[in-house]
Amino acid sequence: LDSESLKNQKLKAKYLEHKTRYQLLLQKANGDYQRMYREKWEYYGGKADAKVYVAKPFDLKVLKNDLQMYINSDDDIIEVEKKIVYYEAIVEFIDGVIKSIDNRGWDIRNAQDWKKFLAGGY
C-alpha cells in the first residue's frame, strides 16, 4: 500500500499531460469549426468566391431563415462537430480519472488504517 501511495503523483502527472494534449486538440477543433462555419455561411449564403462555386456548384437560393439548416446539415460541419464531442468526452473522462487518483490517496490511507486496526494498533 505504501508503494502504491507513492505512485499517485506519477499517475496524476501522466493524466494531466493527457488532459493538456486533448484540451489543445479540442481548442483546435473549436477553431476549425468556427472557420468552417463561416466558410459554409458564405457558401450557402451565396457570398463565397466564384472559384468555390466552380469547384463545388450550388445553384439554390437559400433564404436567411433556412441558412442554419443547410450549414448544420453539411457533412464537413458534422465531422468537425463529431471531433469536438469526441475530445470533450475524452477530457471529461480524464477529469474523472484525475479525481479518482486524487481520492486514491484517501482510499490507501483508509486501507492502511484498517490493517492497523486489525493488527490491534488502535
Side-chain angles (χ1 to χ4, degrees):
L1 288 174
D2 56 339
S3 65
E4 282 300 311
S5 70
L6 297 173
K7 291 180 184 178
N8 280 358
Q9 293 307 313
K10 286 182 184 179
L11 280 171
K12 189 170 182 178
K14 173 184 169 183
Y15 282 96
L16 285 172
E17 187 178 318
H18 288 310
K19 182 179 178 181
T20 301
R21 181 170 12 119
Y22 283 103
Q23 281 179 323
L24 290 172
L25 288 169
L26 175 60
Q27 190 173 5
K28 181 186 178 310
N30 280 320
D32 291 346
Y33 174 82
Q34 290 173 347
R35 181 185 41 76
M36 187 176 294
Y37 189 91
R38 187 204 61 214
E39 290 172 4
K40 297 301 180 178
W41 179 83
E42 290 172 350
Y43 176 75
Y44 291 115
K47 298 176 183 186
D49 191 59
K51 295 175 193 173
V52 174
Y53 296 110
V54 170
K56 188 177 175 187
F58 186 74
D59 298 329
L60 293 176
K61 179 74 173 162
V62 178
L63 298 174
K64 227 177 192 181
N65 295 340
D66 296 336
L67 204 51
Q68 286 282 36
M69 182 188 63
Y70 279 88
I71 294 170
N72 290 334
S73 63
D74 186 271
D75 289 337
D76 296 332
I77 291 286
I78 291 170
E79 284 303 311
V80 174
E81 285 174 337
K82 281 189 210 174
K83 249 187 203 179
I84 289 170
V85 169
Y86 175 71
Y87 290 141
E88 286 173 342
I90 289 175
V91 169
E92 188 177 324
F93 172 77
I94 292 172
D95 281 339
V97 170
I98 291 171
K99 189 178 269 186
S100 178
I101 290 169
D102 288 340
N103 291 334
R104 190 172 182 249
W106 291 102
D107 294 339
I108 290 171
R109 182 167 180 217
N110 286 339
Q112 288 172 331
D113 289 346
W114 181 250
K115 283 189 175 226
K116 284 181 193 175
F117 176 75
L118 291 178
Y122 280 102

